[in-house]
Amino acid sequence: MPVTTTHPEYDKTANSWKKLRDVIEGEEAVKAAGVLYLPKPGGRDDDDFDRYVTRAQFFDATSKTADGMVGGIFRKPPIVDLPTEIEYLEDDADGKGTPLDQLSKDGAEEVVGLGRLGVLVDMPNVPEVKRLDEEREMGAQARLYLYAAESVINWSYARIGSVYKLARVVLREEVSTPGDDEFAEDESVVYRVLDLEAEQEGLPAGYRVRLFEDNGEEYVETGTYRPTLPNGARLDFIPFTFIGSSNNTAAVDKPPLLDIANVNIGHYRNSADYEDALFMVGQPTPVITGLDQQFIEKNKGQFVIGSRAAWLLPKDSTANLLESSRDLGALSAAMTSKEGQMIQLGAKLIDANRSGVEAAETIRLRQTGEASVLGSVSSNISRGFRMALEWASQWMGGSGEVAFTANTDFFPARLSSADLKELVASWQGGVITYGTLFDNLVAGEVIAPGTDVDEYESELETEAAKNPPPALGDDELDEEIDDEVVIVEEE
């Protein structure tokens, strides 16, 4: 089989990925697909169909839902702690200047949108060296590269020892190279094959990278390299991980937004019919009776509709306007129903002005359902990127733990004034400690996350010293004493 062979699961899901990609991109991509999403009505020629598509409106619900989900995950930045040897990844994770937090956000957009992402940790192809310092002198650094669902075209597992390991991954890459014109670039496709090579004579088993390029007739192997660890040993695994919406395995997960996208397409079709019907019946049509053939031939195309135009008609002729009294309620109701379905499926951003007041339990249940999907995506992003960073650290000879944890606090939960008063009163009454009060203030987003309690106390003391409470004058002091006397007498 050629290197371009795709996995059966890839073939089964490719159309859904195409649909999601277009729907998330928006109206222009959906309309450019023509009959793929909007069937051509019978009896329409190409020009009529073009006008039919132009009048249709695309309700950008799926994209807004995706933005809201990613925004929830990155409402707070991920927690990152890296060994010194790979700290450079925080500012430039992919060698193109993309910071690590931005790269993880780009990855989350793919997982939310298509339910799948691939992350590869790679080293530059350098001449075979045996010492880490030699590689560093050549500027070799481990980098993280993201691969969209459509770019991971094939994969397989094999039993190695007592466990199954990822044994082969085929990646499709679009490469730009300088063209004949200094301002132009040539686009080409390269296939990168990652596999575990069996032991050969004089060569131990290990990880191998091969590149395949088009020679005009077929894709042929044009390069091979075998990355090694700092001690010169070959990797016994492929430094590539899948990140899915449900699991971080090679199995293709159902995209979280697929149901919303399907309803979104249905809404688009209803809109096309609705706008077409409005165009047909919404404009009154003049009807003239009692004209002879000679008058018709002489005045054909001469009648202009408007208050400044006069029609001079023969005796006994009549003129009327033909117009429809239908309000197209069925089509309008169908669109409204689909908007409600999209809201129920998770597109809460569509209906920004929610009518009525939701009960607290209703809000809790709705947010729990949304958070379950977000929680899965967030934890999978954390595990996938943490694993990739551990590989990068291993490759760079790093020492120390790797930490990468994406946010799981998706919804603002600020303390109400009543809750805040109760907390402070509990602390003043000795019911809770200051540490518990501080933790609740951080959780309630009154105090910024990550604030150190000792530093916060020090800041409070500094501010109190700079801005002491105003001193009371004699008259004010007398009034305060009088108030206290009154209180005591009443008691």
Side-chain angles (χ1 to χ4, degrees):
M1 293 185 294
V3 70
T4 56
T5 302
T6 52
H7 194 280
E9 283 195 62
Y10 182 98
D11 298 333
K12 186 172 65 176
T13 321
N15 289 338
S16 295
W17 289 337
K18 160 70 174 168
K19 180 194 300 181
L20 283 160
R21 191 71 72 186
D22 289 340
V23 171
I24 291 173
E25 187 173 340
E27 181 170 304
E28 290 188 5
V30 171
K31 289 189 173 182
V35 296
L36 181 62
Y37 306 123
L38 187 60
K40 185 176 181 179
R44 300 286 184 97
D45 59 24
D46 290 343
D47 290 338
D48 285 339
F49 180 67
D50 289 342
R51 288 189 286 270
Y52 177 67
V53 172
T54 300
R55 283 191 290 268
Q57 291 186 332
F58 182 75
F59 200 37
D60 197 15
T62 308
S63 176
K64 285 184 169 58
T65 304
D67 291 343
M69 293 176 70
V70 175
I73 296 174
F74 287 87
R75 191 174 75 87
K76 297 178 182 178
I79 298 172
V80 181
D81 187 15
L82 304 179
T84 304
E85 291 81 0
I86 60 169
E87 284 182 344
Y88 64 88
L89 292 174
E90 289 197 58
D91 297 323
D92 184 6
D94 61 356
K96 301 176 183 177
T98 307
L100 180 60
D101 59 349
Q102 181 60 52
L103 194 73
S104 62
K105 186 176 182 180
D106 294 342
E109 290 174 355
E110 290 292 322
V111 178
V112 165
L114 273 68
R116 190 170 176 80
L117 173 72
V119 182
L120 170 66
V121 181
D122 199 19
M123 286 280 283
N125 183 15
V126 296
E128 292 186 6
V129 292
K130 299 300 182 183
R131 297 205 320 270
L132 181 62
D133 59 341
E134 292 177 346
E135 287 190 353
R136 299 302 170 267
E137 288 177 4
M138 300 177 69
Q141 291 180 317
R143 299 290 183 181
L144 277 59
Y145 301 102
L146 304 187
Y147 286 84
E150 305 96 326
S151 299
V152 188
I153 69 166
N154 208 346
W155 56 92
S156 64
Y157 282 77
R159 180 183 287 277
I160 300 176
S162 61
V163 297
Y164 277 97
K165 285 188 177 183
L166 185 63
R168 179 181 292 112
V169 181
V170 182
L171 306 172
R172 185 182 186 275
E173 302 177 356
E174 294 183 359
V175 180
S176 298
T177 55
D180 296 334
D181 188 320
E182 65 173 312
F183 301 107
E185 290 186 338
D186 295 331
E187 301 291 335
S188 61
V189 174
V190 174
Y191 288 89
R192 183 182 297 268
V193 179
L194 319 173
D195 62 6
L196 294 179
E197 184 180 27
E199 183 178 357
Q200 302 177 26
E201 185 177 349
L203 186 66
Y207 172 51
R208 173 179 62 173
V209 181
R210 290 179 292 162
L211 299 177
F212 288 76
E213 299 182 36
D214 189 358
N215 67 357
E217 297 180 358
E218 60 180 348
Y219 279 90
V220 297
E221 185 176 341
T222 58
T224 302
Y225 67 101
R226 299 172 174 86
T228 58
L229 293 171
N231 61 5
R234 296 185 66 184
L235 277 72
D236 62 354
F237 63 91
I238 298 176
F240 180 93
T241 181
F242 292 94
I243 299 179
S245 56
S246 299
N247 299 285
N248 286 2
T249 65
V252 177
D253 294 338
K254 179 183 176 181
L257 298 180
L258 183 58
D259 291 338
I260 299 176
N262 287 331
V263 178
N264 212 164
I265 290 293
H267 185 278
Y268 168 60
R269 292 169 180 164
N270 288 155
S271 170
D273 291 338
Y274 181 76
E275 296 295 336
D276 190 56
L278 280 180
F279 177 76
M280 292 176 63
V281 305
Q283 303 179 71
T285 303
V287 179
I288 306 174
T289 61
L291 303 180
D292 57 36
Q293 191 62 35
Q294 181 180 0
F295 184 90
I296 293 173
E297 293 295 334
K298 181 179 179 181
N299 295 278
K300 185 184 296 184
Q302 301 299 314
F303 290 98
V304 179
I305 296 178
S307 60
R308 298 183 181 180
W311 290 4
L312 302 178
L313 303 177
K315 185 179 179 181
D316 298 328
S317 61
T318 61
N320 294 288
L321 286 176
L322 179 66
E323 53 186 336
S324 173
S325 60
R326 294 183 61 186
D327 61 0
L328 306 176
L331 284 173
S332 178
M335 293 167 64
T336 302
S337 174
K338 287 182 176 62
E339 290 168 17
Q341 285 180 283
M342 285 186 279
I343 294 172
Q344 292 298 319
L345 288 169
K348 65 175 184 176
L349 299 183
I350 299 172
D351 187 14
N353 299 316
R354 188 180 298 275
S355 59
V357 179
E358 290 183 290
E361 182 66 10
T362 303
I363 295 173
R364 186 189 67 79
L365 291 174
R366 176 168 55 80
Q367 291 187 345
T368 299
E370 293 162 349
S372 65
V373 177
L374 290 179
S376 177
V377 172
S378 178
S379 62
N380 290 346
I381 288 288
S382 296
R383 286 197 299 270
F385 271 83
R386 184 164 55 248
M387 180 179 292
L389 291 167
E390 287 173 352
W391 291 335
S393 178
Q394 181 182 1
W395 223 330
M396 298 296 294
S399 58
E401 295 295 322
V402 170
F404 184 94
T405 306
N407 169 53
T408 55
D409 182 12
F410 310 123
F411 307 103
R414 290 187 175 276
L415 286 172
S416 67
S417 58
D419 291 337
L420 185 58
K421 289 178 181 177
E422 288 291 335
L423 275 172
V424 174
S426 297
W427 169 60
Q428 291 175 333
V431 178
I432 61 175
T433 65
Y434 179 76
T436 301
L437 171 65
F438 183 84
D439 290 343
N440 277 274
L441 293 178
V442 172
E445 301 188 7
V446 176
I447 297 175
T451 303
D452 181 77
V453 61
D454 295 328
E455 292 180 0
Y456 190 73
E457 282 186 328
S458 177
E459 289 179 10
L460 288 177
E461 293 173 358
T462 302
E463 288 193 5
K466 289 182 178 179
N467 304 293
L472 298 176
D474 293 339
D475 294 338
E476 293 172 313
L477 186 59
D478 290 340
E479 290 179 6
E480 189 170 281
I481 293 173
D482 291 340
D483 291 339
E484 292 179 358
V485 171
V486 171
I487 292 172
V488 170
E489 289 177 349
E490 288 178 352
E491 292 178 348

